[in-house]
Amino acid sequence: MPGAPAPRAPDAVSTDIARADAARAELLRLRASIDNIDAALIFMLAERFRCTQQVGRLKAEHEMPASDPGREEQQTARLRALAEEAHLDPEFAEKWFNFVVAEVIRHHTEAAEGR
């Protein structure tokens, strides 16, 4: 039949199956690594928030403002530099930091209000 692909040799078929199996195994390995990294990130964020909650209580006890724009600016610059060094998009790192800081400020404000 004109234009139809030629039948594949059994060796070629088994090679394709082996490649597909290897690709699936690699995918599973990579996903397991991603799952481990995600778990580590969650535990690290939890530890970070435990520390910032202590900061919030300290600020509340001493009637300090919930937000510290100077500190936030320094941290943004520091994290952007770290992101560049790590070959991570600095814009993404800054967005992540701003998201986390907003949550920290919310906690600090609640602590100051005695919640």
Side-chain angles (χ1 to χ4, degrees):
M1 175 179 238
R8 301 196 64 190
D11 287 344
V13 172
S14 64
T15 299
D16 288 347
I17 292 171
R19 285 184 183 150
D21 287 346
R24 280 190 287 279
E26 179 70 0
L27 180 61
L28 291 174
R29 184 190 68 75
L30 290 168
R31 285 181 173 168
S33 290
I34 290 167
D35 291 350
N36 287 338
I37 293 165
D38 287 346
L41 287 170
I42 293 299
F43 281 96
M44 293 297 292
L45 280 171
E47 182 62 22
R48 188 187 197 287
F49 277 102
R50 279 190 285 280
C51 290
T52 60
Q53 286 170 345
Q54 290 176 354
V55 168
R57 286 190 292 273
L58 183 66
K59 285 181 172 185
E61 288 171 17
H62 297 279
E63 299 181 0
M64 301 166 83
S67 176
D68 185 344
R71 164 81 173 157
E72 293 163 26
E73 188 177 314
Q74 289 172 343
Q75 284 298 92
T76 297
R78 184 174 87 71
L79 292 175
R80 287 183 67 89
L82 286 171
E84 287 180 18
E85 183 181 330
H87 305 288
L88 179 68
D89 180 3
E91 291 294 321
F92 171 78
E94 185 172 347
K95 286 177 189 176
W96 170 82
F97 181 66
N98 289 336
F99 177 76
V100 169
V101 167
E103 186 67 8
V104 168
I105 291 170
R106 186 179 70 77
H107 291 171
H108 289 182
T109 302
E110 288 176 358
E113 294 171 353
R115 292 185 193 163

